[in-house]
Amino acid sequence: MADSDVILLDLWISVFGARVRIALAEKGVKYEYREEKLDDKSPLLLEMNPVHKKIPVLIHHGKPVCESNIIVQYIDETWHANSPPLLPSDPYLRAQARFWADFVDKKIYEGAKKIWTTKGEEQEAAKKEFMDVLKVLEGQLGEKPYLVGESFGFADIAMIPFCIWFYTLNKIGNMNIEKECPKLAAWVKRCMERESVTKSLPDAHKFYELVLEMQKKKGQ
Amino acid sequence: MAKESEIKLLGTIASSYVNRVQFALNLKSINYEYIEEDLANKSKLLFTSNPVYKRVPVLIHGDKSICESQVILEYLDDIQPDSHPLLPPAPLDRANCRFWASYIDTKFFPLYDEMRRTRRQAGKEAIKEQMIEATRLLEEALIKSSNGKAYFGGDEIGFLDVMLGSCIRWMKFIDDLNDFDTFDEVRVPELGKWAKNISSHEALKSATPDKETLDVFFAGANAHRPPYDD
């Protein structure tokens, strides 16, 4: 497939964009990457995602696909002939994969953000709540190598970009995520052995600097 | 075809999310055993089958449990793909269905609980504006995906018809308390027609409790309103 057939509107720092980059890399799909500016959104982005005006947006043969978890499923279904499959073939395991990808969407982003946007008691409560969420994932991993069974897939792709936030959360929240969740830490290491993951994730330290900048601007 | 004893649905009367799953089970002619949960006194079965969220609906298939209504709908499509498929076959159309399903559950339907928790008129008017915008977008989506036919899914009831159709009754309940009509046929003619049409479909009607049960439920819901946010 020619490069111009697949365009990704994205932001280098976005965990949601990273999900799509990982999926495209897993499937070996060539694409054109276009960096968006949040404070100066391109006409193409506004045209392709008029409802949410957000990245990532995958544009395939001129048609947009929006929302990162939806894009990942689209990639799996469209390039189903390319291995590996991103979702299992067993219906129950597929349901598990969707459940956990949805869990990450519901619980991780807002939960983590609260930690670096609050202080004092509010922050302590946010930290506890977030650790409880991570412990659920820790429990789901159990003795398994990946979140749903033996293979890296949809649920792992949904969660792994957030690992670059752990450095920031540990520093700002005075936490030690890896110590509290050793199975999750081992799972992160395992996922980071995949080129698709290491090539797609932004640098954890750069993210930390960005959050510090953001806090300074808000006078925190 | 799944045997009746094989599939159980844990639910509560008048939960839109439970009705959503029942609607899908009815369309696919899947026999199941319905188990009513008392949310004030949750059963051991609910805790063990949905340890993460501890809420309904939960589909129990043999020794496996599947949670979250949209996940259940896709599971039903996976186990019975030939019996009234809900999602369309093409990846782009499937992505479109999932997009609007996500919009309905994260942006549109929550407005109704928000309305219920809002006391001041200014707040209510602001929420109504959001409801108007949401129905405007869904009207457009319906026109695009129905291709002139009766449903989001075209000739047949599809994924979005089930996702949104199951919400109509609760939306109407909140509408009636707030001098609003979500599916006003003047404001959103196609969506209004669609809502009337789908509400009378047997597979949804039979997933909806009878008027007496609903009246009791809604009276209870009115008496035990959640605390106001404002």
Side-chain angles (χ1 to χ4, degrees), chain A residues 23-40:
Chain A
L24 288 165
E26 284 283 317
K27 291 286 193 184
V29 175
K30 292 203 196 312
Y31 62 99
E32 180 192 332
Y33 177 93
R34 288 197 199 169
E35 182 77 9
E36 282 286 331
K37 290 199 184 75
L38 283 189
D39 55 1
D40 185 20

Side-chain angles (χ1 to χ4, degrees), chain B:
Chain B
M1 200 89 45
K3 291 199 284 282
E4 172 158 341
S5 57
E6 232 178 271
I7 293 198
K8 297 179 170 58
L9 176 65
L10 296 188
T12 52
I13 282 208
S15 156
S16 302
Y17 301 106
V18 172
N19 292 157
R20 184 181 280 175
V21 176
Q22 290 173 306
F23 190 7
L25 288 163
N26 292 344
L27 285 168
K28 287 177 169 290
S29 305
I30 295 175
N31 289 324
Y32 66 98
E33 180 194 341
Y34 175 76
I35 300 172
E36 176 78 10
E37 270 293 321
D38 175 5
L39 293 183
N41 189 14
K42 290 178 180 177
S43 72
K44 188 164 174 237
L45 181 59
L46 179 58
F47 282 122
T48 53
S49 61
N50 191 355
V52 175
Y53 296 117
K54 308 171 180 63
R55 65 186 183 196
V56 295
V58 181
L59 192 86
I60 301 177
H61 190 183
D63 61 348
K64 306 209 186 329
S65 59
I66 298 100
C67 310
E68 297 299 283
S69 62
Q70 189 178 339
V71 175
I72 296 172
L73 254 48
E74 294 218 33
Y75 176 75
L76 293 178
D77 250 9
D78 279 344
I79 61 167
Q80 299 243 332
D82 301 323
S83 175
H84 200 123
L86 298 171
L87 280 169
L92 191 64
D93 297 331
R94 293 161 77 86
N96 188 52
C97 283
R98 289 174 179 138
F99 176 87
W100 287 110
S102 170
Y103 180 82
I104 289 162
D105 270 4
T106 61
K107 299 273 187 245
F108 183 36
F109 199 38
L111 291 174
Y112 292 81
D113 275 350
E114 206 187 318
M115 181 69 100
R116 198 163 170 236
R117 293 191 314 266
T118 303
R119 175 178 21 196
R120 302 214 185 108
Q121 203 50 39
K124 284 187 181 292
E125 290 307 312
I127 294 169
K128 277 184 201 172
E129 286 306 315
Q130 291 182 69
M131 288 172 172
I132 289 170
E133 174 62 9
T135 51
R136 184 187 72 79
L137 290 172
L138 287 166
E139 171 90 352
E140 270 176 33
L142 174 60
I143 291 168
K144 259 202 208 128
S145 75
S146 65
N147 245 320
K149 303 287 161 69
Y151 302 112
F152 281 92
D155 275 318
E156 300 289 339
I157 290 177
F159 197 71
L160 287 178
D161 300 289
V162 176
M163 288 293 293
L164 187 58
S166 52
C167 301
I168 295 171
R169 209 178 10 78
W170 182 247
M171 288 178 172
K172 183 160 198 329
F173 170 65
I174 301 291
D175 277 356
D176 288 347
L177 297 169
N178 291 282
D179 190 29
F180 188 67
D181 185 2
T182 299
F183 297 102
D184 174 14
E185 285 190 66
V186 172
R187 202 184 72 245
V188 280
E190 296 307 312
L191 204 63
K193 254 188 287 175
W194 168 88
K196 270 213 177 87
N197 191 16
I198 203 151
S199 297
S200 64
H201 193 280
E202 196 48 48
L204 177 55
K205 266 172 69 180
S206 58
T208 307
D210 62 49
K211 186 172 190 306
E212 226 182 277
T213 310
L214 278 179
D215 282 347
V216 170
F217 173 79
F218 287 144
N222 254 333
H224 300 100
R225 202 196 304 106
Y228 290 119
D229 285 343
D230 61 355

